[in-house]
Amino acid sequence: MSDLICVGSVAGSYGVRGEVRLKSFCAVPEDIEAYSPLTDENGKERYPLVLTRPIKNGFAARLGGVETKEQADAINGLRLFARRDQLPSLPDDEFYHTDLIGLEVYDTGGALLGTVKSVMNHGAADLLELHGPGLKSTVLLPFTLEAVPTVDLDQGRIVADPPEGLI
């Protein structure tokens, strides 16, 4: 499991004084500020963070080292990470997306279905994007207790009971 968890991303500049548009991926969006300083995905660059105000789809924020609109524009798309030990422990039925990506998915008979490529959410519920040699195309598996009764992070596997006709 990765020691770093993606908690947000920069969505461009905000105004002309070096503020950035910040998208928070935290369950309570404002909590992203509590994990400051954040890092890049390698953990090398550190970014102290201060939220300045809520804006549409996120926050205006100050990132350490970003003083101008041009610097803010230059880091558009930057994904920001916090250390796992900074984040709250999750209940047994909740998972960080990064922990699910790469897990092998088996059906209830033990046959390998594929591997989790990504976790998506288009509004209703999370979907696991599966891909693998036995699949004609990418499959979107609903991440519900009915369709995914078992997630075993220690064994690095998921047991799925996909809806009829999905795979």
Side-chain angles (χ1 to χ4, degrees), residues 15-33:
V16 295
R17 293 191 176 88
E19 285 179 292
V20 298
R21 290 179 182 275
L22 182 73
K23 292 182 185 176
S24 173
F25 304 145
C26 301
V28 177
E30 300 81 20
D31 284 357
I32 192 170
E33 189 174 33

Side-chain angles (χ1 to χ4, degrees), residues 34-57:
Y35 309 133
S36 176
L38 303 174
T39 69
D40 62 7
E41 63 188 304
N42 301 319
K44 302 254 186 287
E45 293 289 325
R46 297 170 62 83
Y47 299 96
L49 169 74
V50 176
L51 300 179
T52 52
R53 67 189 147 290
I55 59 174
K56 186 176 182 190
N57 298 325

Side-chain angles (χ1 to χ4, degrees), residues 97 100 103-108 111-122 124-132 135 137-151 157-167:
H97 289 182
L100 300 173
L103 294 184
E104 292 183 328
V105 181
Y106 294 85
D107 69 14
T108 53
L112 179 63
L113 297 175
T115 305
V116 178
K117 182 177 178 184
S118 71
V119 181
M120 299 186 240
N121 188 310
H122 297 292
D126 286 337
L127 299 166
L128 301 181
E129 179 186 8
L130 306 184
H131 66 109
L135 301 173
S137 62
T138 296
V139 171
L140 297 178
L141 177 67
F143 192 47
T144 62
L145 195 54
E146 295 79 37
V148 182
T150 305
V151 175
R157 63 189 283 151
I158 290 173
V159 175
D161 187 10
E164 198 66 40
L166 184 64
I167 296 179

Side-chain angles (χ1 to χ4, degrees), residues 83-101:
R83 290 187 331 274
R84 182 181 295 273
D85 61 13
Q86 291 176 279
L87 303 175
S89 298
L90 295 177
D92 287 343
D93 62 344
E94 291 184 25
F95 304 92
Y96 288 115
H97 289 182
T98 190
D99 295 339
L100 300 173
I101 295 170

